[in-house]
Structure formats: structure tokens, C-alpha cells
Amino acid sequence: QVQFVESGGGLVQPGGSLRLSCAASGFTLDLDYYAIGWFRQAPGKEREAVSCIASSDSSTYYTDSVKGRFTISRDNAKHTVYLQMNSLKPEDTAVYYCAVGLSNPPSCSRGGMDYWGKGTLVTVSS
């Protein structure tokens, strides 16, 4: 079965950086067709897609608010997907969830995700 172990969340000052990690199991990162990425949900707001990466060609998606600041990557040997977050802003504060959709073509939509992690809290505050 598909499972995730998320880590890297915490408290950081505005302008700081964090790297989230999602260790995945239950599917083959370099063989299966999928989109894997990160969603976030801030207090009182709906869950939104932040960034995804596709298995087939490593194409990426970023929501407009994080472009130029966040970078998604993966290490197939370590079965891990990362989200490097730089120049963090208070509005980035949210619970961040790792998720995967096992479909072809891949989709980075909330409804297209089949499995979800428990989430890790990121708080950006001075």
C-alpha cells in the first residue's frame, strides 16, 4: 500500500528557508505513472496544490504564489520527494501534505490525488 513519511516542517522567520521531505513507499518512483507533490491548507482556507512533479518526464507544476521561491525535486534511489522553500512569507503558513495520484496523464489537482500523507506544519512568523 502507498504510504508517506513527511518531515521538515517547523517554525521559521520570514525570508527563511525550509526543506520538506516525503519518503514514499508502495509504488515505484521511477517506473509507475504518477504525479507526486505537495498541497497545503491554511487555517480557515481550502486545501490547494503547491507543487507537483510527474514520473514520466519530471515536468513540474507550481502555483503562482510560490514560483521562484519553491523547488520540487525527487531522489528515486531514496524514494523521497522534496520541497525546497526559500524566501518564506507569513502567508505560506499552513499544514503541508504530500500526495500522489496514480494516473496517466498526471494531474496536480486535489481531486486527482489518490493517497495523502498526514501533513507537516510550517509556520512562518517573526
Side-chain angles (χ1 to χ4, degrees), residues 52-79:
C52 291
I53 186 167
S55 64
S56 56
D57 59 359
S58 297
S59 60
T60 57
Y61 163 84
Y62 298 94
T63 191
D64 287 344
S65 63
V66 308
K67 288 181 179 177
R69 299 189 297 120
F70 291 9
T71 303
I72 191 169
S73 62
R74 68 180 177 215
D75 187 329
N76 290 337
K78 296 181 179 180
H79 307 281

mmCIF file with all atom_site columns, all heavy atoms in Angstrom, residues 52-79:
data_model
loop_
_atom_site.group_PDB
_atom_site.id
_atom_site.type_symbol
_atom_site.label_atom_id
_atom_site.label_alt_id
_atom_site.label_comp_id
_atom_site.label_asym_id
_atom_site.label_entity_id
_atom_site.label_seq_id
_atom_site.pdbx_PDB_ins_code
_atom_site.Cartn_x
_atom_site.Cartn_y
_atom_site.Cartn_z
_atom_site.occupancy
_atom_site.B_iso_or_equiv
_atom_site.pdbx_formal_charge
_atom_site.auth_seq_id
_atom_site.auth_comp_id
_atom_site.auth_asym_id
_atom_site.auth_atom_id
_atom_site.pdbx_PDB_model_num
ATOM 1   N N   . CYS A 1 52 ? 3.851  19.962 -7.943  1.00 0.00 ? 52 CYS A N   1
ATOM 2   C CA  . CYS A 1 52 ? 3.873  18.543 -8.279  1.00 0.00 ? 52 CYS A CA  1
ATOM 3   C C   . CYS A 1 52 ? 4.960  18.271 -9.297  1.00 0.00 ? 52 CYS A C   1
ATOM 4   O O   . CYS A 1 52 ? 5.371  19.158 -10.049 1.00 0.00 ? 52 CYS A O   1
ATOM 5   C CB  . CYS A 1 52 ? 2.533  18.076 -8.848  1.00 0.00 ? 52 CYS A CB  1
ATOM 6   S SG  . CYS A 1 52 ? 1.163  18.055 -7.679  1.00 0.00 ? 52 CYS A SG  1
ATOM 7   N N   . ILE A 1 53 ? 5.388  17.012 -9.337  1.00 0.00 ? 53 ILE A N   1
ATOM 8   C CA  . ILE A 1 53 ? 6.342  16.555 -10.330 1.00 0.00 ? 53 ILE A CA  1
ATOM 9   C C   . ILE A 1 53 ? 5.830  15.253 -10.912 1.00 0.00 ? 53 ILE A C   1
ATOM 10  O O   . ILE A 1 53 ? 5.303  14.403 -10.189 1.00 0.00 ? 53 ILE A O   1
ATOM 11  C CB  . ILE A 1 53 ? 7.757  16.408 -9.726  1.00 0.00 ? 53 ILE A CB  1
ATOM 12  C CG1 . ILE A 1 53 ? 8.773  16.081 -10.812 1.00 0.00 ? 53 ILE A CG1 1
ATOM 13  C CG2 . ILE A 1 53 ? 7.782  15.375 -8.606  1.00 0.00 ? 53 ILE A CG2 1
ATOM 14  C CD1 . ILE A 1 53 ? 10.216 16.229 -10.336 1.00 0.00 ? 53 ILE A CD1 1
ATOM 15  N N   . ALA A 1 54 ? 5.971  15.091 -12.228 1.00 0.00 ? 54 ALA A N   1
ATOM 16  C CA  . ALA A 1 54 ? 5.478  13.923 -12.924 1.00 0.00 ? 54 ALA A CA  1
ATOM 17  C C   . ALA A 1 54 ? 6.550  12.853 -13.036 1.00 0.00 ? 54 ALA A C   1
ATOM 18  O O   . ALA A 1 54 ? 7.743  13.152 -13.154 1.00 0.00 ? 54 ALA A O   1
ATOM 19  C CB  . ALA A 1 54 ? 4.981  14.302 -14.316 1.00 0.00 ? 54 ALA A CB  1
ATOM 20  N N   . SER A 1 55 ? 6.112  11.599 -13.036 1.00 0.00 ? 55 SER A N   1
ATOM 21  C CA  . SER A 1 55 ? 7.054  10.485 -13.128 1.00 0.00 ? 55 SER A CA  1
ATOM 22  C C   . SER A 1 55 ? 7.654  10.330 -14.509 1.00 0.00 ? 55 SER A C   1
ATOM 23  O O   . SER A 1 55 ? 8.804  9.910  -14.643 1.00 0.00 ? 55 SER A O   1
ATOM 24  C CB  . SER A 1 55 ? 6.362  9.189  -12.718 1.00 0.00 ? 55 SER A CB  1
ATOM 25  O OG  . SER A 1 55 ? 5.310  8.876  -13.612 1.00 0.00 ? 55 SER A OG  1
ATOM 26  N N   . SER A 1 56 ? 6.884  10.648 -15.545 1.00 0.00 ? 56 SER A N   1
ATOM 27  C CA  . SER A 1 56 ? 7.277  10.329 -16.904 1.00 0.00 ? 56 SER A CA  1
ATOM 28  C C   . SER A 1 56 ? 8.428  11.182 -17.415 1.00 0.00 ? 56 SER A C   1
ATOM 29  O O   . SER A 1 56 ? 9.401  10.658 -17.967 1.00 0.00 ? 56 SER A O   1
ATOM 30  C CB  . SER A 1 56 ? 6.079  10.470 -17.839 1.00 0.00 ? 56 SER A CB  1
ATOM 31  O OG  . SER A 1 56 ? 5.520  11.766 -17.758 1.00 0.00 ? 56 SER A OG  1
ATOM 32  N N   . ASP A 1 57 ? 8.318  12.485 -17.251 1.00 0.00 ? 57 ASP A N   1
ATOM 33  C CA  . ASP A 1 57 ? 9.304  13.399 -17.815 1.00 0.00 ? 57 ASP A CA  1
ATOM 34  C C   . ASP A 1 57 ? 9.833  14.415 -16.816 1.00 0.00 ? 57 ASP A C   1
ATOM 35  O O   . ASP A 1 57 ? 10.544 15.347 -17.205 1.00 0.00 ? 57 ASP A O   1
ATOM 36  C CB  . ASP A 1 57 ? 8.726  14.127 -19.024 1.00 0.00 ? 57 ASP A CB  1
ATOM 37  C CG  . ASP A 1 57 ? 7.480  14.926 -18.702 1.00 0.00 ? 57 ASP A CG  1
ATOM 38  O OD1 . ASP A 1 57 ? 7.039  14.918 -17.535 1.00 0.00 ? 57 ASP A OD1 1
ATOM 39  O OD2 . ASP A 1 57 ? 6.938  15.567 -19.624 1.00 0.00 ? 57 ASP A OD2 1
ATOM 40  N N   . SER A 1 58 ? 9.482  14.269 -15.558 1.00 0.00 ? 58 SER A N   1
ATOM 41  C CA  . SER A 1 58 ? 9.896  15.178 -14.488 1.00 0.00 ? 58 SER A CA  1
ATOM 42  C C   . SER A 1 58 ? 9.400  16.596 -14.684 1.00 0.00 ? 58 SER A C   1
ATOM 43  O O   . SER A 1 58 ? 9.975  17.538 -14.125 1.00 0.00 ? 58 SER A O   1
ATOM 44  C CB  . SER A 1 58 ? 11.422 15.173 -14.334 1.00 0.00 ? 58 SER A CB  1
ATOM 45  O OG  . SER A 1 58 ? 11.890 13.898 -13.945 1.00 0.00 ? 58 SER A OG  1
ATOM 46  N N   . SER A 1 59 ? 8.351  16.751 -15.468 1.00 0.00 ? 59 SER A N   1
ATOM 47  C CA  . SER A 1 59 ? 7.758  18.068 -15.604 1.00 0.00 ? 59 SER A CA  1
ATOM 48  C C   . SER A 1 59 ? 7.171  18.493 -14.267 1.00 0.00 ? 59 SER A C   1
ATOM 49  O O   . SER A 1 59 ? 6.728  17.656 -13.465 1.00 0.00 ? 59 SER A O   1
ATOM 50  C CB  . SER A 1 59 ? 6.692  18.082 -16.691 1.00 0.00 ? 59 SER A CB  1
ATOM 51  O OG  . SER A 1 59 ? 5.646  17.175 -16.390 1.00 0.00 ? 59 SER A OG  1
ATOM 52  N N   . THR A 1 60 ? 7.161  19.781 -14.027 1.00 0.00 ? 60 THR A N   1
ATOM 53  C CA  . THR A 1 60 ? 6.750  20.301 -12.729 1.00 0.00 ? 60 THR A CA  1
ATOM 54  C C   . THR A 1 60 ? 5.637  21.319 -12.866 1.00 0.00 ? 60 THR A C   1
ATOM 55  O O   . THR A 1 60 ? 5.440  21.937 -13.916 1.00 0.00 ? 60 THR A O   1
ATOM 56  C CB  . THR A 1 60 ? 7.928  20.942 -11.988 1.00 0.00 ? 60 THR A CB  1
ATOM 57  O OG1 . THR A 1 60 ? 8.501  21.977 -12.805 1.00 0.00 ? 60 THR A OG1 1
ATOM 58  C CG2 . THR A 1 60 ? 8.997  19.911 -11.680 1.00 0.00 ? 60 THR A CG2 1
ATOM 59  N N   . TYR A 1 61 ? 4.912  21.465 -11.785 1.00 0.00 ? 61 TYR A N   1
ATOM 60  C CA  . TYR A 1 61 ? 3.877  22.475 -11.662 1.00 0.00 ? 61 TYR A CA  1
ATOM 61  C C   . TYR A 1 61 ? 4.107  23.235 -10.365 1.00 0.00 ? 61 TYR A C   1
ATOM 62  O O   . TYR A 1 61 ? 4.435  22.645 -9.338  1.00 0.00 ? 61 TYR A O   1
ATOM 63  C CB  . TYR A 1 61 ? 2.484  21.841 -11.645 1.00 0.00 ? 61 TYR A CB  1
ATOM 64  C CG  . TYR A 1 61 ? 1.423  22.763 -11.110 1.00 0.00 ? 61 TYR A CG  1
ATOM 65  C CD1 . TYR A 1 61 ? 0.805  23.695 -11.932 1.00 0.00 ? 61 TYR A CD1 1
ATOM 66  C CD2 . TYR A 1 61 ? 1.059  22.717 -9.763  1.00 0.00 ? 61 TYR A CD2 1
ATOM 67  C CE1 . TYR A 1 61 ? -0.153 24.557 -11.431 1.00 0.00 ? 61 TYR A CE1 1
ATOM 68  C CE2 . TYR A 1 61 ? 0.100  23.577 -9.259  1.00 0.00 ? 61 TYR A CE2 1
ATOM 69  C CZ  . TYR A 1 61 ? -0.505 24.499 -10.099 1.00 0.00 ? 61 TYR A CZ  1
ATOM 70  O OH  . TYR A 1 61 ? -1.456 25.353 -9.599  1.00 0.00 ? 61 TYR A OH  1
ATOM 71  N N   . TYR A 1 62 ? 3.919  24.554 -10.437 1.00 0.00 ? 62 TYR A N   1
ATOM 72  C CA  . TYR A 1 62 ? 3.958  25.392 -9.253  1.00 0.00 ? 62 TYR A CA  1
ATOM 73  C C   . TYR A 1 62 ? 2.791  26.355 -9.288  1.00 0.00 ? 62 TYR A C   1
ATOM 74  O O   . TYR A 1 62 ? 2.496  26.947 -10.337 1.00 0.00 ? 62 TYR A O   1
ATOM 75  C CB  . TYR A 1 62 ? 5.250  26.213 -9.176  1.00 0.00 ? 62 TYR A CB  1
ATOM 76  C CG  . TYR A 1 62 ? 6.510  25.399 -9.077  1.00 0.00 ? 62 TYR A CG  1
ATOM 77  C CD1 . TYR A 1 62 ? 7.232  25.057 -10.213 1.00 0.00 ? 62 TYR A CD1 1
ATOM 78  C CD2 . TYR A 1 62 ? 6.987  24.979 -7.840  1.00 0.00 ? 62 TYR A CD2 1
ATOM 79  C CE1 . TYR A 1 62 ? 8.390  24.313 -10.122 1.00 0.00 ? 62 TYR A CE1 1
ATOM 80  C CE2 . TYR A 1 62 ? 8.151  24.236 -7.741  1.00 0.00 ? 62 TYR A CE2 1
ATOM 81  C CZ  . TYR A 1 62 ? 8.848  23.906 -8.880  1.00 0.00 ? 62 TYR A CZ  1
ATOM 82  O OH  . TYR A 1 62 ? 10.013 23.169 -8.785  1.00 0.00 ? 62 TYR A OH  1
ATOM 83  N N   . THR A 1 63 ? 2.148  26.527 -8.168  1.00 0.00 ? 63 THR A N   1
ATOM 84  C CA  . THR A 1 63 ? 1.140  27.559 -8.093  1.00 0.00 ? 63 THR A CA  1
ATOM 85  C C   . THR A 1 63 ? 1.829  28.921 -8.149  1.00 0.00 ? 63 THR A C   1
ATOM 86  O O   . THR A 1 63 ? 2.985  29.076 -7.746  1.00 0.00 ? 63 THR A O   1
ATOM 87  C CB  . THR A 1 63 ? 0.301  27.409 -6.811  1.00 0.00 ? 63 THR A CB  1
ATOM 88  O OG1 . THR A 1 63 ? -0.832 28.272 -6.881  1.00 0.00 ? 63 THR A OG1 1
ATOM 89  C CG2 . THR A 1 63 ? 1.112  27.738 -5.575  1.00 0.00 ? 63 THR A CG2 1
ATOM 90  N N   . ASP A 1 64 ? 1.134  29.904 -8.680  1.00 0.00 ? 64 ASP A N   1
ATOM 91  C CA  . ASP A 1 64 ? 1.756  31.197 -8.964  1.00 0.00 ? 64 ASP A CA  1
ATOM 92  C C   . ASP A 1 64 ? 2.394  31.837 -7.737  1.00 0.00 ? 64 ASP A C   1
ATOM 93  O O   . ASP A 1 64 ? 3.436  32.494 -7.841  1.00 0.00 ? 64 ASP A O   1
ATOM 94  C CB  . ASP A 1 64 ? 0.723  32.157 -9.559  1.00 0.00 ? 64 ASP A CB  1
ATOM 95  C CG  . ASP A 1 64 ? 0.355  31.818 -10.986 1.00 0.00 ? 64 ASP A CG  1
ATOM 96  O OD1 . ASP A 1 64 ? 1.089  31.053 -11.627 1.00 0.00 ? 64 ASP A OD1 1
ATOM 97  O OD2 . ASP A 1 64 ? -0.678 32.337 -11.463 1.00 0.00 ? 64 ASP A OD2 1
ATOM 98  N N   . SER A 1 65 ? 1.808  31.652 -6.592  1.00 0.00 ? 65 SER A N   1
ATOM 99  C CA  . SER A 1 65 ? 2.282  32.335 -5.400  1.00 0.00 ? 65 SER A CA  1
ATOM 100 C C   . SER A 1 65 ? 3.643  31.842 -4.904  1.00 0.00 ? 65 SER A C   1
ATOM 101 O O   . SER A 1 65 ? 4.273  32.513 -4.084  1.00 0.00 ? 65 SER A O   1
ATOM 102 C CB  . SER A 1 65 ? 1.255  32.209 -4.273  1.00 0.00 ? 65 SER A CB  1
ATOM 103 O OG  . SER A 1 65 ? 1.070  30.858 -3.898  1.00 0.00 ? 65 SER A OG  1
ATOM 104 N N   . VAL A 1 66 ? 4.107  30.686 -5.390  1.00 0.00 ? 66 VAL A N   1
ATOM 105 C CA  . VAL A 1 66 ? 5.386  30.146 -4.924  1.00 0.00 ? 66 VAL A CA  1
ATOM 106 C C   . VAL A 1 66 ? 6.441  30.088 -6.018  1.00 0.00 ? 66 VAL A C   1
ATOM 107 O O   . VAL A 1 66 ? 7.589  29.710 -5.733  1.00 0.00 ? 66 VAL A O   1
ATOM 108 C CB  . VAL A 1 66 ? 5.218  28.750 -4.297  1.00 0.00 ? 66 VAL A CB  1
ATOM 109 C CG1 . VAL A 1 66 ? 4.126  28.766 -3.240  1.00 0.00 ? 66 VAL A CG1 1
ATOM 110 C CG2 . VAL A 1 66 ? 4.929  27.696 -5.361  1.00 0.00 ? 66 VAL A CG2 1
ATOM 111 N N   . LYS A 1 67 ? 6.104  30.455 -7.230  1.00 0.00 ? 67 LYS A N   1
ATOM 112 C CA  . LYS A 1 67 ? 7.065  30.403 -8.330  1.00 0.00 ? 67 LYS A CA  1
ATOM 113 C C   . LYS A 1 67 ? 8.269  31.291 -8.038  1.00 0.00 ? 67 LYS A C   1
ATOM 114 O O   . LYS A 1 67 ? 8.126  32.431 -7.608  1.00 0.00 ? 67 LYS A O   1
ATOM 115 C CB  . LYS A 1 67 ? 6.405  30.831 -9.639  1.00 0.00 ? 67 LYS A CB  1
ATOM 116 C CG  . LYS A 1 67 ? 5.434  29.808 -10.194 1.00 0.00 ? 67 LYS A CG  1
ATOM 117 C CD  . LYS A 1 67 ? 4.818  30.285 -11.505 1.00 0.00 ? 67 LYS A CD  1
ATOM 118 C CE  . LYS A 1 67 ? 3.874  29.238 -12.070 1.00 0.00 ? 67 LYS A CE  1
ATOM 119 N NZ  . LYS A 1 67 ? 3.213  29.698 -13.314 1.00 0.00 ? 67 LYS A NZ  1
ATOM 120 N N   . GLY A 1 68 ? 9.447  30.746 -8.269  1.00 0.00 ? 68 GLY A N   1
ATOM 121 C CA  . GLY A 1 68 ? 10.676 31.458 -7.992  1.00 0.00 ? 68 GLY A CA  1
ATOM 122 C C   . GLY A 1 68 ? 11.168 31.318 -6.580  1.00 0.00 ? 68 GLY A C   1
ATOM 123 O O   . GLY A 1 68 ? 12.303 31.722 -6.282  1.00 0.00 ? 68 GLY A O   1
ATOM 124 N N   . ARG A 1 69 ? 10.343 30.772 -5.695  1.00 0.00 ? 69 ARG A N   1
ATOM 125 C CA  . ARG A 1 69 ? 10.725 30.602 -4.297  1.00 0.00 ? 69 ARG A CA  1
ATOM 126 C C   . ARG A 1 69 ? 10.822 29.136 -3.886  1.00 0.00 ? 69 ARG A C   1
ATOM 127 O O   . ARG A 1 69 ? 11.673 28.776 -3.072  1.00 0.00 ? 69 ARG A O   1
ATOM 128 C CB  . ARG A 1 69 ? 9.725  31.304 -3.380  1.00 0.00 ? 69 ARG A CB  1
ATOM 129 C CG  . ARG A 1 69 ? 9.633  32.808 -3.613  1.00 0.00 ? 69 ARG A CG  1
ATOM 130 C CD  . ARG A 1 69 ? 8.789  33.485 -2.541  1.00 0.00 ? 69 ARG A CD  1
ATOM 131 N NE  . ARG A 1 69 ? 7.406  33.018 -2.556  1.00 0.00 ? 69 ARG A NE  1
ATOM 132 C CZ  . ARG A 1 69 ? 6.806  32.421 -1.526  1.00 0.00 ? 69 ARG A CZ  1
ATOM 133 N NH1 . ARG A 1 69 ? 7.462  32.223 -0.390  1.00 0.00 ? 69 ARG A NH1 1
ATOM 134 N NH2 . ARG A 1 69 ? 5.532  32.039 -1.620  1.00 0.00 ? 69 ARG A NH2 1
ATOM 135 N N   . PHE A 1 70 ? 9.943  28.299 -4.423  1.00 0.00 ? 70 PHE A N   1
ATOM 136 C CA  . PHE A 1 70 ? 9.907  26.884 -4.068  1.00 0.00 ? 70 PHE A CA  1
ATOM 137 C C   . PHE A 1 70 ? 10.439 26.043 -5.220  1.00 0.00 ? 70 PHE A C   1
ATOM 138 O O   . PHE A 1 70 ? 10.244 26.378 -6.393  1.00 0.00 ? 70 PHE A O   1
ATOM 139 C CB  . PHE A 1 70 ? 8.480  26.429 -3.760  1.00 0.00 ? 70 PHE A CB  1
ATOM 140 C CG  . PHE A 1 70 ? 7.878  26.999 -2.504  1.00 0.00 ? 70 PHE A CG  1
ATOM 141 C CD1 . PHE A 1 70 ? 8.498  28.012 -1.788  1.00 0.00 ? 70 PHE A CD1 1
ATOM 142 C CD2 . PHE A 1 70 ? 6.672  26.505 -2.036  1.00 0.00 ? 70 PHE A CD2 1
ATOM 143 C CE1 . PHE A 1 70 ? 7.934  28.527 -0.639  1.00 0.00 ? 70 PHE A CE1 1
ATOM 144 C CE2 . PHE A 1 70 ? 6.093  27.010 -0.888  1.00 0.00 ? 70 PHE A CE2 1
ATOM 145 C CZ  . PHE A 1 70 ? 6.722  28.023 -0.188  1.00 0.00 ? 70 PHE A CZ  1
ATOM 146 N N   . THR A 1 71 ? 11.067 24.924 -4.891  1.00 0.00 ? 71 THR A N   1
ATOM 147 C CA  . THR A 1 71 ? 11.563 23.988 -5.889  1.00 0.00 ? 71 THR A CA  1
ATOM 148 C C   . THR A 1 71 ? 11.235 22.569 -5.450  1.00 0.00 ? 71 THR A C   1
ATOM 149 O O   . THR A 1 71 ? 11.583 22.164 -4.339  1.00 0.00 ? 71 THR A O   1
ATOM 150 C CB  . THR A 1 71 ? 13.078 24.118 -6.098  1.00 0.00 ? 71 THR A CB  1
ATOM 151 O OG1 . THR A 1 71 ? 13.410 25.455 -6.473  1.00 0.00 ? 71 THR A OG1 1
ATOM 152 C CG2 . THR A 1 71 ? 13.540 23.167 -7.199  1.00 0.00 ? 71 THR A CG2 1
ATOM 153 N N   . ILE A 1 72 ? 10.587 21.822 -6.336  1.00 0.00 ? 72 ILE A N   1
ATOM 154 C CA  . ILE A 1 72 ? 10.287 20.427 -6.056  1.00 0.00 ? 72 ILE A CA  1
ATOM 155 C C   . ILE A 1 72 ? 11.323 19.547 -6.748  1.00 0.00 ? 72 ILE A C   1
ATOM 156 O O   . ILE A 1 72 ? 11.783 19.858 -7.851  1.00 0.00 ? 72 ILE A O   1
ATOM 157 C CB  . ILE A 1 72 ? 8.859  20.057 -6.494  1.00 0.00 ? 72 ILE A CB  1
ATOM 158 C CG1 . ILE A 1 72 ? 8.459  18.686 -5.952  1.00 0.00 ? 72 ILE A CG1 1
ATOM 159 C CG2 . ILE A 1 72 ? 8.707  20.109 -8.011  1.00 0.00 ? 72 ILE A CG2 1
ATOM 160 C CD1 . ILE A 1 72 ? 6.971  18.373 -6.117  1.00 0.00 ? 72 ILE A CD1 1
ATOM 161 N N   . SER A 1 73 ? 11.703 18.467 -6.103  1.00 0.00 ? 73 SER A N   1
ATOM 162 C CA  . SER A 1 73 ? 12.664 17.534 -6.668  1.00 0.00 ? 73 SER A CA  1
ATOM 163 C C   . SER A 1 73 ? 12.419 16.151 -6.091  1.00 0.00 ? 73 SER A C   1
ATOM 164 O O   . SER A 1 73 ? 11.652 15.996 -5.135  1.00 0.00 ? 73 SER A O   1
ATOM 165 C CB  . SER A 1 73 ? 14.107 17.981 -6.403  1.00 0.00 ? 73 SER A CB  1
ATOM 166 O OG  . SER A 1 73 ? 14.371 18.025 -5.012  1.00 0.00 ? 73 SER A OG  1
ATOM 167 N N   . ARG A 1 74 ? 13.071 15.163 -6.671  1.00 0.00 ? 74 ARG A N   1
ATOM 168 C CA  . ARG A 1 74 ? 12.932 13.803 -6.172  1.00 0.00 ? 74 ARG A CA  1
ATOM 169 C C   . ARG A 1 74 ? 14.248 13.069 -6.275  1.00 0.00 ? 74 ARG A C   1
ATOM 170 O O   . ARG A 1 74 ? 15.101 13.373 -7.102  1.00 0.00 ? 74 ARG A O   1
ATOM 171 C CB  . ARG A 1 74 ? 11.841 13.054 -6.939  1.00 0.00 ? 74 ARG A CB  1
ATOM 172 C CG  . ARG A 1 74 ? 12.187 12.769 -8.398  1.00 0.00 ? 74 ARG A CG  1
ATOM 173 C CD  . ARG A 1 74 ? 11.065 12.034 -9.099  1.00 0.00 ? 74 ARG A CD  1
ATOM 174 N NE  . ARG A 1 74 ? 11.365 11.819 -10.504 1.00 0.00 ? 74 ARG A NE  1
ATOM 175 C CZ  . ARG A 1 74 ? 10.480 11.847 -11.479 1.00 0.00 ? 74 ARG A CZ  1
ATOM 176 N NH1 . ARG A 1 74 ? 9.200  12.082 -11.200 1.00 0.00 ? 74 ARG A NH1 1
ATOM 177 N NH2 . ARG A 1 74 ? 10.856 11.631 -12.729 1.00 0.00 ? 74 ARG A NH2 1
ATOM 178 N N   . ASP A 1 75 ? 14.404 12.077 -5.422  1.00 0.00 ? 75 ASP A N   1
ATOM 179 C CA  . ASP A 1 75 ? 15.549 11.183 -5.425  1.00 0.00 ? 75 ASP A CA  1
ATOM 180 C C   . ASP A 1 75 ? 14.983 9.776  -5.465  1.00 0.00 ? 75 ASP A C   1
ATOM 181 O O   . ASP A 1 75 ? 14.525 9.253  -4.448  1.00 0.00 ? 75 ASP A O   1
ATOM 182 C CB  . ASP A 1 75 ? 16.411 11.399 -4.190  1.00 0.00 ? 75 ASP A CB  1
ATOM 183 C CG  . ASP A 1 75 ? 17.698 10.607 -4.231  1.00 0.00 ? 75 ASP A CG  1
ATOM 184 O OD1 . ASP A 1 75 ? 17.724 9.510  -4.822  1.00 0.00 ? 75 ASP A OD1 1
ATOM 185 O OD2 . ASP A 1 75 ? 18.703 11.078 -3.660  1.00 0.00 ? 75 ASP A OD2 1
ATOM 186 N N   . ASN A 1 76 ? 15.003 9.173  -6.640  1.00 0.00 ? 76 ASN A N   1
ATOM 187 C CA  . ASN A 1 76 ? 14.391 7.860  -6.797  1.00 0.00 ? 76 ASN A CA  1
ATOM 188 C C   . ASN A 1 76 ? 15.079 6.792  -5.947  1.00 0.00 ? 76 ASN A C   1
ATOM 189 O O   . ASN A 1 76 ? 14.418 5.885  -5.435  1.00 0.00 ? 76 ASN A O   1
ATOM 190 C CB  . ASN A 1 76 ? 14.413 7.443  -8.267  1.00 0.00 ? 76 ASN A CB  1
ATOM 191 C CG  . ASN A 1 76 ? 13.474 8.265  -9.121  1.00 0.00 ? 76 ASN A CG  1
ATOM 192 O OD1 . ASN A 1 76 ? 12.506 8.842  -8.631  1.00 0.00 ? 76 ASN A OD1 1
ATOM 193 N ND2 . ASN A 1 76 ? 13.748 8.319  -10.414 1.00 0.00 ? 76 ASN A ND2 1
ATOM 194 N N   . ALA A 1 77 ? 16.392 6.889  -5.806  1.00 0.00 ? 77 ALA A N   1
ATOM 195 C CA  . ALA A 1 77 ? 17.118 5.910  -5.018  1.00 0.00 ? 77 ALA A CA  1
ATOM 196 C C   . ALA A 1 77 ? 16.703 5.941  -3.555  1.00 0.00 ? 77 ALA A C   1
ATOM 197 O O   . ALA A 1 77 ? 16.704 4.913  -2.876  1.00 0.00 ? 77 ALA A O   1
ATOM 198 C CB  . ALA A 1 77 ? 18.624 6.126  -5.143  1.00 0.00 ? 77 ALA A CB  1
ATOM 199 N N   . LYS A 1 78 ? 16.363 7.116  -3.063  1.00 0.00 ? 78 LYS A N   1
ATOM 200 C CA  . LYS A 1 78 ? 15.945 7.269  -1.678  1.00 0.00 ? 78 LYS A CA  1
ATOM 201 C C   . LYS A 1 78 ? 14.433 7.230  -1.510  1.00 0.00 ? 78 LYS A C   1
ATOM 202 O O   . LYS A 1 78 ? 13.943 7.343  -0.382  1.00 0.00 ? 78 LYS A O   1
ATOM 203 C CB  . LYS A 1 78 ? 16.489 8.577  -1.106  1.00 0.00 ? 78 LYS A CB  1
ATOM 204 C CG  . LYS A 1 78 ? 18.000 8.642  -1.032  1.00 0.00 ? 78 LYS A CG  1
ATOM 205 C CD  . LYS A 1 78 ? 18.467 9.956  -0.432  1.00 0.00 ? 78 LYS A CD  1
ATOM 206 C CE  . LYS A 1 78 ? 19.981 10.008 -0.331  1.00 0.00 ? 78 LYS A CE  1
ATOM 207 N NZ  . LYS A 1 78 ? 20.457 11.290 0.245   1.00 0.00 ? 78 LYS A NZ  1
ATOM 208 N N   . HIS A 1 79 ? 13.711 7.089  -2.613  1.00 0.00 ? 79 HIS A N   1
ATOM 209 C CA  . HIS A 1 79 ? 12.250 7.035  -2.582  1.00 0.00 ? 79 HIS A CA  1
ATOM 210 C C   . HIS A 1 79 ? 11.671 8.258  -1.880  1.00 0.00 ? 79 HIS A C   1
ATOM 211 O O   . HIS A 1 79 ? 10.729 8.146  -1.090  1.00 0.00 ? 79 HIS A O   1
ATOM 212 C CB  . HIS A 1 79 ? 11.771 5.752  -1.901  1.00 0.00 ? 79 HIS A CB  1
ATOM 213 C CG  . HIS A 1 79 ? 12.353 4.510  -2.477  1.00 0.00 ? 79 HIS A CG  1
ATOM 214 N ND1 . HIS A 1 79 ? 11.888 3.946  -3.652  1.00 0.00 ? 79 HIS A ND1 1
ATOM 215 C CD2 . HIS A 1 79 ? 13.374 3.722  -2.055  1.00 0.00 ? 79 HIS A CD2 1
ATOM 216 C CE1 . HIS A 1 79 ? 12.595 2.858  -3.923  1.00 0.00 ? 79 HIS A CE1 1
ATOM 217 N NE2 . HIS A 1 79 ? 13.494 2.700  -2.979  1.00 0.00 ? 79 HIS A NE2 1
#
